[in-house]
Amino acid sequence: MEEVKNYFEQHRSSHLSQLKEFLSIPSISADPDHKPDMGAAASWVEGSMQAAGLENTAVMETGGHPVVYGDWMHAPGKPTVLFYGHYDVQPADPVELWETPPFQPDIRDEKIYARGATDDKGQVFMHLKTIEAFMQTKRELPVNVKFCIEGEEEIGSPNLDEFVEKHRELLQGDVLLVSDTPMLEKGRPTVCYGLRGLAGIQIDVNGAKGDLHSGLYGGGVANPLHALADILASMHDDSGRITVDGFYDRVLSLTDQERRAYAELSYDEESTRKELNVPELFGEEGFSFLERTWARPTLEINGMHGGFQGEGIKTVLPSAASAKITCRLVPDQDPDEIVEKLTAHVQQKTPKGVVVNVTPFDKGRPFVTPFDHPAIQAAGRALETAYGTTAAYTRMGGSVPVIETFSQILNVPVALMGFGLPTENFHAPNEHFHLENYDKGLEALAEYLMEISENL
């Protein structure tokens, strides 16, 4: 490993220049005007794969932006690590809030500033340089590797499910390694082994054929806003538990080992309360803040609309009201089943005098790799070696449906070893990546390949 570490140090300047080149490409997947840039970024990734020593590289077409593939399969009897990442980035707006132009990378205070620096070009680049370091110093890799780098993650990966299904044999491996999640905090390397899923609905409540004068009709016609308020209030009890029938039927409980690991993180709930400026934290009784936000399901009202929204008062009885709801799901909850249960609950709680429709929206399955899986524990050891401190084992409260896609279709364990920090402004102006984590992350990724070679 010393040769590999020395290679990173000796080539740091030239590698960062290459990273700047990659970050200079405005590969914004959401904007059709940047389609040529998407092609340029895909070609750049393929060229970097070839330079690193990967074989069978290809820019593979999809129904949208292409996927870039490459592999090296010359380690007989050793596991195969599949790397996933994305080369597309978020729009840079509002550009005027950037201190330096978003696609003119700038290094200051040992941070590199650019759109995509941390999400996810910088971390994809680290994977490529890890391969290059082994190939340049040892002329071989300790494991077999495959790369799948897509160009649509920032728009929801609409074509990736079909791509993975179509190419499942090509992409098959023994572990999926992803660097696109944040560390717990500065100096605290983190292995994420689970993500929550998602189920979203919109509730539309309709009453009279049009808005009515509340003096003429109030008290004689059902008010859709009142009906909506009743429906929404019926979804939780006073202790924060969700009251939708059957909502918790499939929920897998945390293991004692997981609960101990979360407790050992010594998370400061009071600091969070003060930072958020709320009188107290709130949630399902019997669980800590981390358990509630990482490993318990939720039902949240994301927005409500109805009636007069302007300044002052308009004495109107509105004809319609609506609300948007999303649920974060945990293993083994099924988003389709949850939508069915939500719909049944709404229908059961609909007051007289109104008509209610439920429309499903975003869905994504939760995933978890067992906490004690060798691929997860290997990640912890690799991070501890690189950072010189014990790694945190976490789940994430958010949802990344593409990870569940790989988990389900390829049936592989997933290790999420991200090196960004929550404070690095991904999706916001002045996105940046701490070079401390770039350096230590390279070492951790190299250590992980060695760990997997011997322990999977």
Side-chain angles (χ1 to χ4, degrees):
M1 276 296 298
E2 284 303 313
E3 290 177 289
V4 173
K5 290 172 62 177
N6 289 338
Y7 183 86
F8 291 141
E9 294 172 4
Q10 294 164 4
H11 293 82
R12 186 177 192 263
S13 179
S14 62
H15 286 173
L16 289 178
S17 294
Q18 294 169 27
L19 176 56
K20 285 184 176 182
E21 183 181 297
F22 188 22
L23 293 170
S24 297
I25 304 172
S27 48
I28 303 170
S29 54
D31 189 343
D33 290 341
H34 285 279
K35 186 173 182 179
D37 297 313
M38 295 298 298
S43 296
W44 195 96
V45 171
E46 184 186 24
S48 294
M49 286 183 178
Q50 294 169 349
L54 294 175
E55 302 171 342
N56 301 310
T57 64
V59 176
M60 305 177 69
E61 296 303 320
T62 71
H65 302 302
V67 169
V68 189
Y69 175 84
D71 64 32
W72 188 90
M73 301 293 291
H74 302 292
K78 294 296 185 178
T80 297
V81 177
L82 172 64
F83 293 85
Y84 164 80
H86 61 95
Y87 62 85
D88 66 321
V89 300
Q90 283 279 320
D93 306 271
V95 176
E96 65 272 13
L97 296 183
W98 287 76
E99 294 182 24
T100 52
F103 296 105
Q104 294 180 24
D106 183 56
I107 294 178
R108 52 187 188 271
D109 301 323
E110 276 300 282
K111 308 180 191 77
I112 185 165
Y113 286 80
R115 173 59 84 228
T118 187
D119 182 21
D120 182 38
K121 284 182 175 179
Q123 301 193 65
V124 166
F125 183 82
M126 291 164 62
H127 286 191
L128 292 169
K129 291 306 160 184
T130 300
I131 301 303
E132 179 183 303
F134 274 105
M135 294 299 291
Q136 290 294 319
T137 59
K138 298 182 178 298
R139 309 302 174 192
E140 64 180 5
L141 302 177
V143 293
N144 301 294
V145 300
K146 297 178 179 181
F147 275 71
C148 177
I149 311 299
E150 71 152 324
E152 297 185 325
E153 196 274 344
E154 298 293 6
I155 54 173
S157 303
N159 292 288
L160 195 65
D161 283 17
E162 181 180 354
F163 181 87
V164 175
E165 184 66 58
K166 181 178 180 180
H167 299 286
R168 63 162 64 203
E169 185 174 341
L170 177 70
L171 298 173
Q172 193 61 58
D174 296 295
V175 60
L176 175 67
L177 178 60
V178 183
S179 295
D180 195 16
T181 49
M183 295 166 54
L184 189 63
E185 59 187 3
K186 181 177 173 60
R188 194 67 187 273
T190 305
V191 184
C192 179
Y193 63 96
L195 298 166
R196 291 194 291 191
L198 185 68
I201 64 169
Q202 178 169 315
I203 302 171
D204 293 298
V205 183
N206 293 286
K209 62 181 180 180
D211 290 354
L212 302 175
H213 190 293
S214 65
L216 297 177
Y217 294 97
V221 178
N223 186 324
L225 278 171
H226 295 183
L228 179 63
D230 287 345
I231 293 169
L232 297 177
S234 73
M235 291 182 166
H236 292 87
D237 64 20
D238 292 340
S239 66
R241 188 172 175 84
I242 298 162
T243 54
V244 175
D245 188 40
F247 188 87
Y248 293 98
D249 285 355
R250 289 178 174 264
V251 172
L252 291 183
S253 299
L254 282 163
T255 65
D256 291 340
Q257 186 181 15
E258 287 176 297
R259 299 196 82 168
R260 284 195 300 271
Y262 293 178
E264 288 169 1
L265 295 177
S266 300
Y267 185 81
D268 188 348
E269 294 192 6
E270 177 61 14
S271 176
T272 298
R273 184 197 68 78
K274 290 180 180 178
E275 179 184 351
L276 298 177
N277 194 26
V278 294
E280 61 182 279
L281 299 178
F282 176 78
E284 188 182 1
E285 286 186 358
F287 298 93
S288 69
F289 179 81
L290 291 184
E291 290 168 346
R292 292 170 184 163
T293 56
W294 289 352
R296 295 297 293 173
T298 67
L299 188 157
E300 299 290 348
I301 302 165
N302 306 124
M304 294 183 284
H305 179 81
F308 179 63
Q309 304 289 324
E311 187 175 346
I313 294 177
K314 181 181 180 182
T315 55
V316 64
L317 194 160
S319 64
S322 64
K324 297 179 186 293
I325 290 174
T326 53
C327 299
R328 298 291 177 170
L329 310 180
V330 299
D332 283 338
Q333 288 181 301
D334 181 280
D336 291 319
E337 286 187 8
I338 293 301
V339 168
E340 290 178 5
K341 294 180 187 301
L342 292 174
T343 302
H345 181 91
V346 170
Q347 291 171 344
Q348 180 185 1
K349 298 296 182 179
T350 296
K352 296 178 180 178
V354 295
V355 176
V356 177
N357 292 307
V358 176
T359 304
F361 282 106
D362 293 346
K363 294 178 186 176
R365 290 179 177 274
F367 106 90
V368 65
T369 297
F371 178 78
D372 58 356
H373 193 285
I376 298 300
Q377 296 301 312
R381 291 192 298 272
L383 288 167
E384 183 173 349
T385 298
Y387 281 82
T389 188
T390 304
Y393 293 89
T394 73
R395 298 195 198 182
M396 264 182 57
S399 305
V400 186
V402 64
I403 302 302
E404 195 274 337
T405 293
F406 280 102
S407 177
Q408 289 293 315
I409 295 177
L410 302 181
N411 191 29
V412 291
V414 182
L416 300 170
M417 291 174 63
F419 301 99
L421 293 175
T423 57
E424 289 178 336
N425 291 352
F426 39 88
H427 293 205
N430 301 309
E431 179 181 350
H432 57 279
F433 187 29
H434 284 67
L435 295 184
E436 174 191 15
N437 291 323
Y438 167 84
D439 294 327
K440 291 182 177 179
L442 285 169
E443 182 182 347
L445 291 171
E447 291 284 356
Y448 186 67
L449 296 188
M450 296 299 294
E451 285 280 354
I452 287 296
S453 175
E454 301 300 327
N455 297 290
L456 190 65

